[in-house]
Amino acid sequence: MIYIKHLKKNEKIKIQAVETLLHGKEVMLPYIVLGNYCIMPMAKAVTVREHPDPNKMADLLLKWYTRTTDSYSEGIYSFARKGITKKEEEMDFYKYIKREMDCIIEKSSIKEEYEELEHCAKEMWNLGYKQYKDTFFWSYNLLHGDLHTGNVVCFRGNYRLIDWECFRSGPKEIELAFYLCWDYLNQGEKYRKLDELISELDIFTEKQLVSLQERDRILYFLIPMWMLIMVLYLNNGNLLFEKERKMACQQIIPLYKEIIFKYRPWKEVSGNE
């Protein structure tokens, strides 16, 4: 059986570019392009309830993140991939991201039902930014651009990635933080335990997919950023399944602050509460 997908604008160029990269064919699903259509073999979807095996996922991503570039794409990620502000000559990636976040926050008139969640997530994000804003990147990774469980399939016993229309560049840690958040902030009744998130990130660290410094930035800076973005986009009516996602945010964001963020390693050093 086969799956036929109509290719979005520029998607044809992007999937062909990915195929030419080192290990590109090993991370994407095999395909044939006919005109504006992509023909692929049917593959088993990985559901949110199942969630990809972290060891196999780390092995896949270790192949993908071998290529680097000297610049980053505008916009935060697939949520705002075109960017609200121009990066211009900004060399510090997270200072550029701060401008993007400030614009999203400024354009959001927070409804009363989201005030507490927005305050909680923004507090973690602001503290994380103060700690990590001067992080310097010598190079950036090529990113899938929309890495979540829905874009991971199992083909002949191995994981492959699909839907490359958001292909971009940036630090891999921002993509991995998004990936780790997906199941937690997607459907309230199906979210996994926070200790599973820590365990998964520990596996990524042990397999050297991320360094200890990247692990800390994911936990104490970037996951809170994605939590804040989720709240802002729900508040602004920009996401589907608002009721389910709102329920998940109400369950997870305060819990994350109490169980994980509270024990950030730089708490005493920063002097911020």
Side-chain angles (χ1 to χ4, degrees):
M1 296 182 66
I2 60 173
Y3 169 71
I4 301 176
K5 178 185 179 183
H6 183 266
L7 298 175
K8 299 177 182 178
K9 184 179 179 181
N10 297 326
E11 189 176 358
K12 178 179 179 179
I13 297 174
K14 290 182 177 181
I15 62 173
Q16 290 175 335
V18 171
E19 185 181 32
T20 65
L21 298 172
L22 179 66
H23 300 303
K25 291 182 178 180
E26 297 177 52
V27 300
M28 64 191 310
L29 198 61
Y31 72 94
I32 298 174
V33 172
L34 293 177
N36 292 323
Y37 292 90
C38 183
I39 303 173
M40 297 171 284
M42 291 296 292
K44 183 178 181 295
V46 180
T47 67
V48 170
R49 185 176 293 278
E50 292 174 348
H51 191 72
D53 176 85
N55 285 284
K56 293 174 65 175
M57 196 67 189
D59 292 338
L60 174 71
L61 294 175
L62 279 167
K63 297 177 183 178
W64 173 234
Y65 292 138
T66 54
R67 293 300 296 267
T68 59
T69 180
D70 60 0
S71 62
Y72 60 85
S73 301
E74 290 186 341
I76 296 175
Y77 196 60
S78 57
F79 274 81
R81 54 184 173 270
K82 293 182 179 179
I84 302 171
T85 64
K86 298 296 181 181
K87 64 179 181 180
E88 298 175 340
E89 300 301 318
E90 180 60 75
M91 298 298 295
D92 293 321
F93 177 77
Y94 285 128
K95 290 180 181 178
Y96 166 72
I97 292 300
K98 178 65 161 58
R99 294 209 315 261
E100 289 285 286
M101 290 295 295
D102 287 345
C103 286
I104 297 174
I105 293 170
E106 185 179 345
K107 293 176 181 292
S108 303
S109 178
I110 304 299
K111 302 171 186 175
E112 184 177 353
E113 60 188 297
Y114 285 105
E115 284 181 353
E116 187 174 345
L117 284 175
E118 189 261 355
H119 175 77
C120 183
K122 188 162 67 174
E123 181 183 10
M124 289 189 288
W125 151 252
N126 285 334
L127 287 172
Y129 177 73
K130 289 178 182 177
Q131 180 67 21
Y132 298 117
K133 63 181 179 180
D134 295 321
T135 301
F136 181 78
F137 296 95
W138 293 100
S139 62
Y140 296 92
N141 299 97
L142 297 181
L143 307 178
H144 176 273
D146 195 18
L147 185 65
H148 60 76
T149 297
N151 282 334
V152 181
V153 297
C154 189
F155 178 69
R156 295 180 178 174
N158 297 306
Y159 287 153
R160 299 292 182 97
L161 301 179
I162 60 172
D163 292 347
W164 292 88
E165 63 263 31
C166 298
F167 177 52
R168 55 189 288 112
S169 62
K172 62 185 175 183
E173 60 199 51
I174 201 167
E175 176 158 272
L176 292 171
F178 174 77
Y179 169 74
L180 289 168
C181 268
W182 179 259
D183 287 355
Y184 292 91
L185 298 181
N186 191 32
Q187 298 183 45
E189 74 278 7
K190 295 182 181 179
Y191 74 91
R192 298 175 297 124
K193 296 180 180 179
L194 289 178
D195 57 359
E196 292 180 7
L197 184 152
I198 298 295
S199 175
E200 186 162 2
L201 189 50
D202 285 343
I203 290 172
F204 287 175
T205 307
E206 291 166 6
K207 283 184 166 286
Q208 299 183 353
L209 177 63
V210 297
S211 66
L212 290 173
Q213 291 80 11
E214 289 169 328
R215 177 188 183 277
D216 283 351
R217 290 196 293 269
I218 288 172
L219 270 182
Y220 306 114
F221 176 38
L222 295 173
I223 285 180
M225 182 193 77
W226 286 119
M227 289 177 170
L228 176 57
I229 289 176
M230 175 71 81
V231 172
L232 293 173
Y233 271 65
L234 286 173
N235 174 82
N236 297 341
N238 295 337
L239 293 177
L240 299 173
F241 309 112
E242 179 180 352
K243 180 180 178 181
E244 293 84 358
R245 284 174 163 151
K246 178 184 175 184
M247 183 185 303
C249 287
Q250 289 172 329
Q251 292 170 328
I252 297 216
I253 293 177
L255 184 65
Y256 190 92
K257 181 181 178 182
E258 179 64 26
I259 301 299
I260 296 178
F261 191 80
K262 179 180 179 180
Y263 296 100
R264 58 196 185 277
W266 40 268
K267 180 180 177 182
E268 290 76 21
V269 176
S270 69
N272 291 316
E273 292 294 338

